[in-house]
Amino acid sequence: MSTTTAPAAPKESLFSKKNRKLITDPLDDNNPITVQVLGICSALAITVKLENALVMSASVLFVMLAGNVVISLLRNMIPSRIRIIVQLVVVAGLVIIVDNVLKAYVYDVAKQVGVYVGLIITNCIIMGRFEAFAMGNKPGPSALDAFGNAMGYAWILVAVAFFRELLGSGSLFGIPVLGDAVEKTGLYALGYVNNNMMILPPMALVIVGIIIWIQRSRNTKLIEQA
Amino acid sequence: MDKNSNSFTFTFAIVMVVVVGALLALIYSSLKPAQDENVRREKMQNILAAMNVHVARDEAPAIYQKTVTSVPLVDARGRLVEGVDTDPVNGPGFALDVQKQYRDERARVIGADDMKYPLYVAEKDGRPLYILPVVGTGLWGPIWGYVAVSDDGRTVVGSTFDHKGETPGLGAEINTKFFTDQFPGKTIADERGEFTSIKVYKGGSQTTSPHGVDGISGGTITSDGVDEMLRRTLAIYYNYLSSLGGGMAQAISASAGDATEAQEETATEEQP
């Protein structure tokens, strides 16, 4: 899956060219959602509002970063026969911590994203990075890899949520930007109607599809040879 | 050491489970008080919001204590449960988890007759108000809310609703002002004192009705859930409220012949 599993040279700087690629690659050429097609479920479920997308992205960033570092530190100890179980325990533990901290300190946000934070456990990107990268690399590069992948995931989520919230609810971050739908001001006065279909999960798939389309037409090396 | 041997694998698994378990237990128990406090304050905030007192969550406990005077319990037939502490914060009324009770009833752990209904009695602008918690089922999970009724026992003053996981933009809209703003001024009983509940209409053609509100387009099952939970719960509270004599008692006795069986029962028991 990953093309970046080469063993790091002993005295390599943390921000060498190779390590910088760990961050920039997942943003475009090796994006977890649009190229690896992982984590689609959460991209469909939580992108109705920008706020949810941001909180989900932040939670995924924390879980992926902490998890990648932990797995990387333990990589020489984890028995290969139960490594998937170990990875799963790490993800599940971190997700429970995130969920509890959100409920205790940012209760309103926790209520908004509630069930979706639990969904992070089933996010294939995280298990994928543990298995493909952290199991074979040092903590430093693993942290960079986690950061890059979380950002690659986050920008897709935010982009999808931007269009869904804008066209579906006429608002951004819950603030109406297209005018008042009830009193018919702004664009609504010209006859614009919120597109309720944008609120339904299938439209998230369509938007992700459009992003993939644009990305591949720009970057032809991503197109699979038939 | 051979890290692929059975003994190492088992030792690793056991140590991992113990360490992770201990860590999670520690985090959970240290965060639990803060989480419970959030839930408690949110409950107070929702009760206040139902009577159109909108406060920040941090201020909710102080204002709640000033506004809510007592929390008696009503039984499934609409009679006051005698001999319970009606303290608005420490009494059993505030502590009663109506959602858990509803779940237990649905799972037949307890019978419908065993259910207790907390009645939040508050005072606003010198007049008593009754705040009635309601719980029910939406499309994807539980829905709940509070309905505030004025001292005549039938006019709705305000309401709040919330849900666990209704579809955003559709059923989830029950917690928006757009939906709850329709409730003030509606009545849960007609002029003769007969219980009508508040009906959630599909299509909105009946919104001029004094007992009806417009449902959420695209949120039919959630709207039906709200309708069902209001009809089921308010009927029980109305049995009690109508017996209090807040202007409605006369209407009830005037039309005693038409009153429902439950109302007759309350009327005969509560009125000397």
Side-chain angles (χ1 to χ4, degrees), chain A residues 11-217:
Chain A
K11 273 284 174 191
E12 200 179 340
S13 139
L14 194 59
F15 289 99
S16 67
K17 197 172 175 216
K18 194 158 79 189
N19 282 347
R20 258 179 298 152
K21 248 183 106 57
L22 290 179
I23 294 188
T24 53
D25 239 20
L27 295 183
D28 189 8
D29 284 5
N30 202 11
N31 189 284
I33 296 184
T34 61
V35 178
Q36 299 180 23
V37 199
L38 297 175
I40 290 285
C41 341
S42 56
L44 305 189
I46 57 133
T47 47
V48 169
K49 288 179 173 175
L50 262 176
E51 194 188 6
N52 294 359
L54 280 184
V55 173
M56 184 72 171
S57 302
S59 309
V60 166
L61 175 64
F62 168 77
V63 172
M64 190 123 76
L65 206 57
N68 242 12
V69 170
V70 169
I71 293 287
S72 175
L73 286 171
L74 294 175
R75 70 187 185 281
N76 293 327
M77 272 173 67
I78 298 175
S80 57
R81 270 185 296 172
I82 59 164
R83 66 183 196 285
I84 301 289
I85 298 175
V86 175
Q87 292 162 11
L88 198 57
V89 168
V90 171
V91 187
L94 288 168
V95 167
I96 294 170
I97 292 173
V98 170
D99 195 31
N100 273 288
V101 170
L102 289 182
K103 270 190 204 145
Y105 297 114
V106 277
Y107 186 66
D108 292 301
V109 177
K111 262 176 48 186
Q112 286 275 321
V113 292
V115 287
Y116 305 126
V117 170
L119 273 180
I120 295 175
I121 296 178
T122 64
N123 191 327
C124 332
I125 300 171
I126 295 175
M127 292 283 283
R129 292 332 290 168
F130 288 0
E131 175 72 7
F133 198 88
M135 285 299 284
N137 286 281
K138 291 187 170 163
S142 295
L144 294 180
D145 177 73
F147 183 78
N149 276 283
M151 285 299 132
Y153 171 77
W155 87 257
I156 301 283
L157 239 63
V158 169
V160 175
F162 174 84
F163 288 112
R164 288 185 75 191
E165 185 172 353
L166 183 69
L167 302 177
S169 312
S171 59
L172 291 175
F173 290 106
I175 303 160
V177 290
L178 298 184
D180 193 318
V182 180
E183 287 172 14
K184 301 271 181 223
T185 63
L187 270 185
Y188 298 102
L190 303 173
Y192 179 78
V193 178
N194 282 339
N195 185 351
N196 260 350
M197 203 152 104
M198 288 305 242
I199 286 165
L200 301 173
M203 279 313 280
L205 199 63
V206 172
I207 297 175
V208 171
I210 292 173
I211 293 176
I212 292 176
W213 181 15
I214 294 171
Q215 194 184 18
R216 293 192 182 201
S217 65

